[in-house]
Amino acid sequence: YGVDIGIDRNEHYDRSAGATYIKSKISAIGDLSHTFGFEEVNAGGKVITTPGVHISGNEHGLNYNYEEIFNIIKTGSLFIHSADFKGAFFDAPINIARSKLARFNFAPDEGANFILKDTQSSAYVINGFYVEKPSDLDRVANGIAE
């Protein structure tokens, strides 16, 4: 059955990095027709699937260009594994996973990172930002690290 998904994008300040970053979470799931959003997307007919973790073997470290990032995302990975990443956020449009398994719980107050699929296409929610094509990566403020 179809549901609406509300996502909150919250700005945080990381003192050690001296920078602000966005950390998004699912705020509500259900009938949200009585509310409105800053950005609304119709993803009707798509089903939610669990994101994966890209294991790079550190051939690039964490230096990826947007084309490489989108190719990783297209494989179903919304996270890049880096066990020794220390920050709270990643200054690129993909997330960091300190574990080789993505922690995924589609529920309120959980991270807004999931894949929307139908028989013809996929869309990706990366830290609360909706991505369908490579140029959409410019809209993603940052990834998060968990």
Side-chain angles (χ1 to χ4, degrees), residues 58-122:
N58 288 330
E59 71 273 7
H60 291 268
L62 291 176
N63 297 316
Y64 293 90
N65 64 42
Y66 276 23
E67 181 181 346
E68 291 170 322
I69 288 172
F70 196 75
N71 286 335
I72 291 169
I73 291 167
K74 285 191 318 187
T75 69
S77 296
L78 302 185
F79 295 83
I80 295 173
H81 177 254
S82 178
D84 46 341
F85 187 84
K86 301 295 182 216
F89 69 99
F90 185 46
D91 197 19
I94 194 163
N95 302 299
I96 297 294
R98 292 184 182 100
S99 167
K100 290 185 178 182
L101 299 174
R103 190 181 74 77
F104 179 72
N105 189 11
F106 186 71
D109 294 324
E110 294 292 334
N113 296 289
F114 50 88
I115 301 168
L116 298 162
K117 284 187 170 189
D118 63 21
T119 57
Q120 298 177 350
S121 64
S122 295

Side-chain angles (χ1 to χ4, degrees), residues 4-106:
D4 298 322
I5 304 165
I7 296 174
D8 286 337
R9 295 182 193 149
N10 298 299
E11 190 172 281
H12 298 268
Y13 181 72
D14 183 333
R15 286 186 182 185
S16 63
T20 59
Y21 67 98
I22 302 295
K23 184 172 183 182
S24 298
K25 67 177 183 172
I26 298 169
S27 60
I29 301 169
D31 179 9
L32 304 179
S33 61
H34 61 284
T35 63
F36 66 94
F38 177 73
E39 178 182 356
E40 295 185 2
V41 174
N42 183 350
K46 293 191 183 310
V47 296
I48 294 169
T49 61
T50 304
V53 177
H54 175 74
I55 311 298
S56 70
N58 288 330
E59 71 273 7
H60 291 268
L62 291 176
N63 297 316
Y64 293 90
N65 64 42
Y66 276 23
E67 181 181 346
E68 291 170 322
I69 288 172
F70 196 75
N71 286 335
I72 291 169
I73 291 167
K74 285 191 318 187
T75 69
S77 296
L78 302 185
F79 295 83
I80 295 173
H81 177 254
S82 178
D84 46 341
F85 187 84
K86 301 295 182 216
F89 69 99
F90 185 46
D91 197 19
I94 194 163
N95 302 299
I96 297 294
R98 292 184 182 100
S99 167
K100 290 185 178 182
L101 299 174
R103 190 181 74 77
F104 179 72
N105 189 11
F106 186 71

